Amino acid sequence: MQRSRREFVTTSLAGVAGLYAAGGITASQPPQLAPEDGYRLWLRFEPLGERGAAYRKLIQQVVVHGSSPTADVIRRELTAALDGLLGSPAPAAQTSVSAPAVVVGTPKDSTILRELRLDAELATLGPEGFIIRTARTGKHPIIAIASQADVGALYGTYHWLRLLQTAAPIDTLNIAERPKVQIRMLNHWDNMDGTIERGYAGRSLWQWKDLPGTIDPRYVDYARANASIGINATAINSVNANAIVFTPEYLAKVAALATMWRPYGLRVYLSANFASPIRIGGLKTADPLDPGVIAWWKAKADEIYKLIPDFGGFLVKANSEGQPGPKDYKRNHAEGANCLADAVAPHGGNVIWRAFIYDEDVDPDRAKRAYIEFTKLDGQFRPNVLVQVKNGAIDFMPREPFHPLFGALKQTPVLAEVQATQEYLGQGRHLVYLGTMWEEFLRADTYAKGKGSTVGKAIEGQVHPYRVTGFVSVLNPGLDRNWCGHHFSQSNWYASGRLAWNPELAARQIADEWTRMTFGNDPKTVDTIRDVMMQSREIFVNYTMPLGLHHLIGGNHYAPMPENAKAPRADWTATYYHQASTDGIGFDRTMKGNQAVGQYFPPVRDMFDSLATCPEEFLLWFHRCGWDYKTKSGETLWNALCTKYQNGARQAAEIEATWQSLAGRIDPQRHKEVADRLAIQVADAAKWRDQILQYFQGFSKRPILSK
Ligand code: GCW
């Protein structure tokens, strides 16, 4: 059962104001909040009460200039949102100003905005940037939201609505924004049969059998959510790609999505199976240097661009985890990427080549392999190839040091890939806000060009001047009503968009915004939820993989499995990583060990290399220590490990208790759904603690410290 998109933005009317209006509640009783299912994400636009009345004085008119489909979107969004926020029908969109107004558009389409002489400043902000400024036209005060292009005006509109949603003052505004990263992208791992790899929220959003004829209104809500946080690109099929997506039948379906999303500034990319010329093209080879293969990719690109003129390009996972790739033909990754890049180049497209590649013959340590392969190839890629690097060198662990490839490629643009889907972080069941994890990653200093060469700056192209920049989040929403399975997983979608826009934003600010937009502005609710979110990832690390431990899982990557020693490959086990024995535990990646630290620039290398300076959260990632090694707290390593697990399990229980204290302040449906999952989380945390400590005790032979 789908609701219409109109309902998505206006169900707010059935919220608090509706109940008051129904007359059943007097102001002295706490309001019974109407149940919410989470479908509206952070775009709820609930009535703002008194604050709304204050805003209303400044917003007596809505004036949107422009006649493009994007301008129509702005008009619809603004009216519906203000209807909800201000608690009564918003003023209808008009074309001239006769009262205090919000005026949106481009100087090209708007005389009022043209008169403000913003052109020079807007030019520095680019088509996606915008200005929000308090100004006047004639005798009326206005709030101007202006951009060079309609899409920038749309982003400005959502930014301004966010101010209202978060109850910020709007009397004197002077905001100028431009995205710090160009490609702000989602990767979906959706299979063509409707299943989702590492998806925890139901089946795929894309209804392949109904497309292109039937358009699920949910596709529009998806685009709205993305536009509201500045996401401008999406790769809709899994990187473990099925070539069928390139058949004419499916391309017509993809084109229908692309057409619908265009007004929202969202461009489609497709994951490409490297063997497509064989699988659907009838060729005998996919060798990237073969003239027939080259011609096949060119023709395929031409066909796609005829249907989707702004197609973003191809995303490729090659020679990784069984996927075909150029190495099958003794060609390297640059030769493979360039073949596809040449096909899309005439159309302005990109090839995004993933660096999640770990062939066993490159080095015995999985953590070292991608760096070795890709640093050799720097300078050999076409200008429209970008290399997409996961935040860490293993695989989205609860905590990893940043991948040494950040800052290391001078001539090849490097995109960051983070995972909002909580594959290794409690999946759809644990409350884990990842803004803090990504902040830690983005603020880490690579020292590629001396101090201050943070990962964030590298991604922005400020360390090495990249032609294109990008930030990618793997996000696997599904058909569950609340999109993400766990209500709090929505915050990771939100945070990935905000950080893609500006990698330097603070995780705390993002958590605050999201909480206000998702759960309202009640001060106790906001403080409590934001604080829970801010601690949640560290707590997860404490009860799963503290002190630099990693990959203590198996199977579906959810439950503890430190004993996992048998898998088709050694680097898919747990024992390969923790290496516990009666002597100690940890992976020696120091200069005296396997020298993985040598892949970092010298100050970072030395910091990780020395026990005295290695941050303890990475201790067992880089060092192998005896069970009685003295940690910074003075405890032995074994006792410190016990303490971490005990604390983590206790802290999970504390989150549950804190959540209970919000009963009555949050609508009953979302409160209960989160509470039910917290109960699972608390039980899981205790399981992690017990199983891991018992297992390692078999080696340490020391008593488990109980707290
Ligand atoms: O994290 C691992 C996942 C795989 C995934 C792979 C990748 C799409 O377990 O499911 O495959 O990484 O990133 O390619």
Side-chain angles (χ1 to χ4, degrees):
M1 275 268 297
Q2 300 300 325
R3 294 208 213 172
S4 69
R5 78 160 290 286
R6 187 69 199 159
E7 249 184 297
F8 181 30
V9 288
T10 54
T11 39
S12 53
L13 294 177
V16 184
L19 281 165
Y20 274 112
I25 296 168
T26 63
S28 57
Q29 289 173 316
Q32 276 294 304
L33 298 171
E36 291 193 40
D37 58 19
Y39 183 77
R40 294 178 299 164
L41 298 160
W42 49 87
L43 298 176
R44 292 161 61 255
F45 305 122
E46 286 289 308
L48 288 166
E50 275 170 34
R51 171 72 73 170
Y55 287 155
R56 204 170 230 304
K57 294 199 188 101
L58 298 168
I59 317 165
Q60 293 175 28
Q61 268 191 308
V62 174
V63 176
V64 181
H65 288 121
S67 54
S68 68
T70 303
D72 290 340
V73 169
I74 298 175
R75 225 167 263 126
R76 277 202 305 271
E77 287 296 296
L78 214 46
T79 330
L82 290 175
D83 264 357
L85 290 167
L86 305 183
S88 57
Q94 285 155 328
T95 48
S96 64
V97 170
S98 55
V102 55
V103 180
V104 192
T106 63
K108 185 168 60 66
D109 288 328
S110 162
T111 329
I112 302 172
L113 295 174
R114 205 155 49 235
E115 280 166 359
L116 300 181
R117 301 186 182 286
L118 302 170
D119 290 270
E121 201 177 336
L122 287 177
T124 67
L125 300 172
E128 293 183 316
F130 55 82
I131 287 174
I132 305 178
R133 189 166 294 167
T134 305
R136 293 193 79 81
T137 184
K139 49 183 184 357
H140 302 291
I142 59 165
I143 298 164
I145 304 180
S147 172
Q148 267 196 326
D150 288 339
V151 70
L154 178 64
Y155 292 149
T157 300
Y158 281 119
H159 187 107
W160 181 71
L161 286 173
R162 180 184 309 126
L163 299 179
L164 271 61
Q165 288 172 281
T166 56
I170 60 161
D171 335 39
T172 324
L173 295 173
N174 190 6
I175 296 169
E177 284 265 334
R178 69 169 299 164
K180 292 196 165 161
V181 169
Q182 289 161 285
I183 302 177
R184 305 178 299 278
M185 187 180 199
L186 298 181
N187 285 181
H188 293 260
W189 287 350
D190 290 27
N191 299 314
M192 303 309 287
D193 64 1
T195 58
I196 304 181
E197 180 152 349
R198 315 300 174 189
Y200 312 108
R203 288 174 63 82
S204 176
L205 295 170
W206 327 130
Q207 309 288 320
W208 293 115
K209 73 174 177 11
D210 299 336
L211 282 164
T214 307
I215 300 292
D216 185 336
R218 199 158 177 159
Y219 303 143
V220 176
D221 290 335
Y222 167 81
R224 296 177 57 237
N226 284 327
S228 76
I229 48 177
I231 299 271
N232 65 359
T234 181
I236 58 176
N237 60 322
S238 174
V239 289
N240 292 331
N242 186 333
I244 195 179
V245 78
F246 289 147
T247 58
E249 185 195 346
Y250 277 88
L251 287 177
K253 298 170 191 278
V254 177
L257 293 173
T259 304
M260 193 177 7
W261 291 339
R262 195 162 292 122
Y264 295 85
L266 191 60
R267 285 174 84 172
V268 171
Y269 283 68
L270 289 175
S271 295
N273 184 303
F274 196 79
S276 298
I278 303 173
R279 302 211 177 155
I280 58 160
L283 302 191
K284 294 233 149 34
T285 176
D287 179 351
L289 300 193
D290 178 275
V293 171
I294 294 170
W296 189 87
W297 281 110
K298 274 199 174 303
K300 190 46 74 182
D302 293 347
E303 181 188 346
I304 296 174
Y305 277 93
K306 255 200 212 109
L307 295 166
I308 311 171
D310 57 352
F311 179 63
F314 299 128
L315 167 66
V316 191
K317 171 176 178 179
N319 293 121
S320 168
E321 301 184 333
Q323 293 302 311
K327 285 177 136 190
D328 303 346
Y329 307 95
K330 302 207 168 14
R331 313 294 184 195
N332 65 33
H333 284 286
E335 289 167 319
N338 291 346
C339 167
L340 274 65
D342 289 342
V344 291
H347 307 282
N350 295 312
V351 166
I352 302 184
W353 199 262
R354 294 178 85 231
F356 182 65
I357 284 162
Y358 51 104
D359 289 341
E360 282 168 305
D361 58 351
V362 175
D363 189 275
D365 183 1
R366 172 170 165 185
K368 292 173 71 179
R369 295 173 188 154
Y371 178 95
I372 295 171
E373 290 219 56
F374 281 86
T375 45
K376 274 196 293 211
L377 297 173
D378 195 16
Q380 295 182 37
F381 292 99
R382 295 283 191 269
N384 61 330
V385 175
L386 300 94
V387 171
Q388 178 165 312
V389 180
K390 288 189 182 182
N391 59 282
I394 297 296
D395 189 12
F396 300 135
M397 293 293 109
R399 172 168 274 130
E400 294 194 43
F402 70 86
H403 200 303
L405 273 172
F406 291 104
L409 300 188
K410 295 193 176 73
Q411 299 174 63
T412 317
V414 171
L415 286 82
E417 176 181 333
V418 300
Q419 195 189 42
T421 292
Q422 296 162 229
E423 176 180 354
Y424 296 95
L425 284 113
Q427 303 182 356
R429 299 195 190 143
H430 292 211
L431 189 167
V432 187
Y433 167 59
L434 299 175
T436 47
M437 170 155 116
W438 300 332
E439 176 180 71
E440 176 179 304
F441 158 63
L442 291 163
R443 293 186 178 185
D445 201 339
T446 69
Y447 280 84
K449 279 208 184 150
K451 196 171 162 46
S453 311
T454 60
V455 170
K457 296 265 183 213
I459 290 164
E460 291 167 26
Q462 292 196 47
V463 173
H464 306 299
Y466 293 149
R467 191 188 67 89
V468 205
T469 55
F471 183 96
V472 171
S473 172
V474 177
L475 182 86
N476 294 343
L479 284 175
D480 277 8
R481 260 319 271 181
N482 73 4
W483 302 82
C484 296
H486 198 303
H487 289 289
F488 276 81
S489 298
Q490 297 179 354
S491 69
N492 296 326
W493 183 354
Y494 183 82
S496 43
R498 298 288 285 135
L499 287 170
W501 181 273
N502 180 1
E504 293 161 47
L505 275 182
R508 188 182 159 86
Q509 181 195 325
I510 297 170
D512 193 275
E513 286 171 4
W514 178 82
T515 303
R516 289 172 182 277
M517 295 162 86
T518 307
F519 289 108
N521 289 297
D522 167 53
K524 176 171 162 159
T525 309
V526 173
D527 289 351
T528 309
I529 293 184
R530 187 196 50 230
D531 291 353
V532 161
M533 288 168 75
M534 289 303 289
Q535 300 165 42
S536 58
R537 182 270 190 144
E538 200 63 46
I539 293 174
F540 186 86
V541 169
N542 287 345
Y543 65 73
T544 59
M545 307 183 212
L547 295 172
L549 287 169
H550 48 293
H551 217 276
L552 299 182
I553 37 75
N556 66 0
H557 299 174
Y558 180 75
M561 215 193 278
E563 73 285 4
N564 169 20
K566 272 204 208 85
R569 302 171 51 138
D571 54 14
W572 288 354
T573 68
T575 50
Y576 169 92
Y577 298 96
H578 65 68
Q579 299 181 20
S581 72
T582 48
D583 310 334
I585 181 171
F587 200 135
D588 187 355
R589 294 187 165 114
T590 65
M591 293 309 283
K592 292 204 185 93
N594 80 359
Q595 303 193 340
V597 290
Q599 295 184 337
Y600 291 97
F601 289 90
V604 183
R605 175 197 65 199
D606 298 344
M607 173 189 62
F608 288 147
D609 194 45
S610 150
L611 266 175
T613 53
C614 181
E616 226 153 51
E617 58 258 33
F618 296 127
L619 185 65
L620 303 175
W621 186 285
F622 289 115
H623 297 268
R624 180 168 178 76
C625 301
W627 295 108
D628 290 327
Y629 167 78
K630 265 252 154 66
T631 63
K632 291 188 179 129
S633 66
E635 289 173 300
T636 63
L637 174 61
W638 171 249
N639 284 347
L641 215 53
C642 293
T643 304
K644 286 282 183 197
Y645 281 102
Q646 306 284 10
N647 286 349
R650 199 196 59 244
Q651 290 164 322
E654 284 165 10
I655 294 187
E656 191 186 27
T658 306
W659 185 256
Q660 286 309 333
S661 78
L662 292 176
R665 290 177 182 266
I666 289 173
D667 68 280
Q669 182 175 351
R670 287 187 299 168
H671 188 268
K672 177 172 187 319
E673 285 168 358
V674 171
D676 289 349
R677 279 175 177 69
L678 282 168
I680 299 173
Q681 181 171 356
V682 172
D684 283 346
K687 252 187 243 158
W688 270 93
R689 175 197 60 204
D690 296 343
Q691 287 188 27
I692 298 277
L693 289 179
Q694 266 160 34
Y695 172 78
F696 286 141
Q697 188 185 34
F699 301 100
S700 80
K701 317 268 187 221
R702 282 152 177 81
I704 294 174
L705 201 67
S706 57
K707 290 256 154 138

